[in-house]
Amino acid sequence: MVWKPCLVVIDEQTMAFLVQFTNTSGTPMTVKAKLAYVQATVEQTCPAPWGTSVTATIPAGATRISPADACTAALTPLQAFQARAWVEPHDATQWAYREHSPTLHVQRAGNPVWAGPS
């Protein structure tokens, strides 16, 4: 199972925090996942169920993405944002490793700019 957190700009005012799962195996895989986001270095909890724990079964060879409306936020000027995701085996008893999306900076005028090399 390969997974990554994603941040998508939905419109001029809203962004969505997602997690993408890709099952590279030949059998279905069941995992549990949790989403949050970081706004100006402070972790924000996503609403349940994605902010607490969701169990997902990904078919063999398939890619699935969490719903776009599962966790959203306003494009707040002069703030930076990242999606944060945890994905564990479905029977794990603790959340361990997490990943972050690339950083999105919202400039003074409200336009989003991805962080990256100059």
Side-chain angles (χ1 to χ4, degrees):
M1 176 73 65
V2 177
W3 59 274
K4 65 180 178 179
C6 308
L7 191 165
V8 177
V9 176
I10 302 288
D11 57 38
E12 293 179 1
Q13 300 174 352
T14 311
M15 68 191 107
F17 306 98
L18 313 160
V19 60
Q20 176 182 302
F21 309 94
T22 301
N23 183 351
T24 58
S25 78
T27 60
M29 295 188 74
T30 302
V31 296
K32 68 179 183 178
K34 180 170 79 165
L35 275 172
Y37 64 96
V38 179
Q39 178 179 0
T41 73
V42 177
E43 183 176 306
Q44 306 292 327
T45 303
C46 290
W50 283 92
T52 54
S53 181
V54 171
T55 300
T57 299
I58 313 304
T63 296
R64 297 288 187 265
I65 300 173
S66 59
D69 62 353
C71 187
T72 62
L75 287 166
T76 307
L78 301 176
Q79 300 284 305
F81 295 87
Q82 284 183 299
R84 180 178 281 177
W86 295 257
V87 176
E88 299 288 341
H90 69 91
D91 57 354
T93 58
Q94 292 185 328
W95 296 105
Y97 185 71
R98 67 176 187 247
E99 283 282 339
H100 292 88
S101 70
T103 303
L104 181 74
H105 295 274
V106 183
Q107 296 185 328
R108 184 178 306 278
N111 51 313
V113 176
W114 292 101
S118 312

